[in-house]
Amino acid sequence: MSLTETLSTLRLDRSRHAAPQVFEKLRELIVSLELAPGTVLPRPELAEAFGLSQTPIRDALLRLSEEGLVDIFPQHTTEVSRIDIAAARQAHFLRRSLELEIVHVLAQRDDPLLAARLQGHIDMQRASLKANEYAQFIAADQAFHREMHEAAGMMQLWELEQRYSGHVDRLRRLHLPETGKAQRILQDHQRVLDAIVARDAPRAQQALREHLSGTLNQVEDICRRYPDYVRAA
């Protein structure tokens, strides 16, 4: 699919500033791998697709560059970056460190409403998997983890994690289609939730540690299968 075709269905909310929306939409396409590593992003073509001048396009691309998701070659071109394995490992370390503390905090509480909300996200993942709706599955996965951050009063840390997550999120997208991977994610989420409900902090942390380690443990295999998508550490 050409870049124009990929962008053809995108619409902006004219009541909001344009550049943040362009950033959000391009970031989503990059992280979902709809815009694969190496895809050229010409500013004139982007401006035409979004119905904008090149100024908000430039601003959005600069933000993507700050997150390492595009490579800007001055006076030449802009391309979707390869997945940086070193950056992915650091983002994983940050997320694991924070979420281990978050599940420890949540396991100290008796909060049936939180448990019901987390179970709802797991049920949504299960339904999405049954329908082979992987985009919805991933959205519910994100919602599960975001819910835990919000319950712990750590939303600023969630936003921080998201700014560094682009590379590791793309690795996870490559890993998700592996046979049994999605089912393991479901099982891991249920184990984390069950331990929180049981107020068993060590078990919740162990379940989370195992859950978050899955993709990084397979990184060498992912690199072998997708050599054009990755930049080795």
Side-chain angles (χ1 to χ4, degrees):
M1 184 180 294
S2 69
L3 177 62
T4 301
E5 290 172 326
T6 300
L7 300 176
S8 63
T9 60
L10 299 182
R11 298 291 181 271
L12 300 182
D13 180 351
R14 298 300 173 180
S15 68
R16 295 177 56 205
H17 289 299
Q21 293 185 75
V22 174
F23 164 78
E24 290 164 6
K25 292 181 183 299
L26 288 178
R27 189 184 191 283
E28 182 179 348
L29 291 171
I30 291 170
V31 170
S32 69
L33 299 175
E34 290 184 65
L35 292 177
T39 300
V40 177
L41 302 175
R43 287 188 193 176
E45 192 171 339
L46 292 173
E48 182 178 357
F50 284 106
L52 299 169
S53 70
Q54 290 194 36
T55 299
I57 301 300
R58 179 202 62 202
D59 293 345
L61 292 176
L62 286 172
R63 283 190 64 188
L64 290 168
S65 176
E66 290 171 0
E67 291 196 8
L69 296 177
V70 301
D71 295 320
I72 298 176
F73 302 97
Q75 310 303 321
H76 182 50
T77 189
T78 298
E79 295 181 358
V80 176
S81 68
R82 290 190 175 200
I83 299 169
D84 187 320
I85 301 302
R89 291 189 187 280
Q90 292 188 57
H92 172 261
F93 183 90
L94 174 64
R95 180 175 179 178
R96 182 183 61 190
S97 300
L98 294 173
E99 288 202 19
L100 284 171
E101 292 305 312
I102 285 171
V103 297
H104 185 273
V105 168
L106 296 181
Q108 309 305 310
R109 305 176 182 174
D110 181 14
D111 190 343
L113 292 179
L114 171 62
R117 291 195 300 272
L118 291 173
Q119 187 64 59
H121 297 312
I122 294 173
D123 293 343
M124 178 61 72
Q125 281 189 284
R126 185 172 290 108
S128 300
L129 182 58
K130 186 175 181 180
N132 291 319
E133 294 287 350
Y134 282 98
Q136 292 180 13
F137 181 91
I138 292 167
D141 185 325
Q142 285 284 89
F144 178 89
H145 289 274
R146 188 183 190 279
E147 189 80 58
M148 292 197 297
H149 282 71
E150 186 170 7
M154 299 293 173
M155 283 307 295
Q156 285 184 306
L157 293 180
W158 171 259
E159 298 300 333
L160 174 67
E161 289 176 58
Q162 295 310 293
R163 288 201 295 273
Y164 291 97
S165 71
H167 293 289
V168 72
D169 284 347
R170 288 193 289 172
L171 276 180
R172 291 191 177 107
R173 295 289 179 120
L174 291 175
H175 192 206
L176 183 60
E178 178 191 299
T179 301
K181 172 62 177 176
Q183 288 84 353
R184 287 195 296 275
I185 291 173
L186 273 172
Q187 293 167 2
D188 289 346
H189 281 181
Q190 193 67 60
R191 289 171 58 224
V192 170
L193 174 55
D194 290 347
I196 289 173
V197 170
R199 303 183 70 176
D200 187 337
R203 181 156 61 93
Q205 289 182 313
Q206 182 60 28
L208 180 76
R209 186 178 289 107
E210 292 173 4
H211 168 54
L212 292 180
S213 67
T215 294
L216 270 295
N217 285 342
Q218 299 299 318
V219 71
E220 291 184 6
D221 182 60
I222 295 171
C223 290
R224 282 194 296 270
R225 287 189 286 120
Y226 301 95
D228 295 335
Y229 276 30
V230 300
R231 181 164 59 238

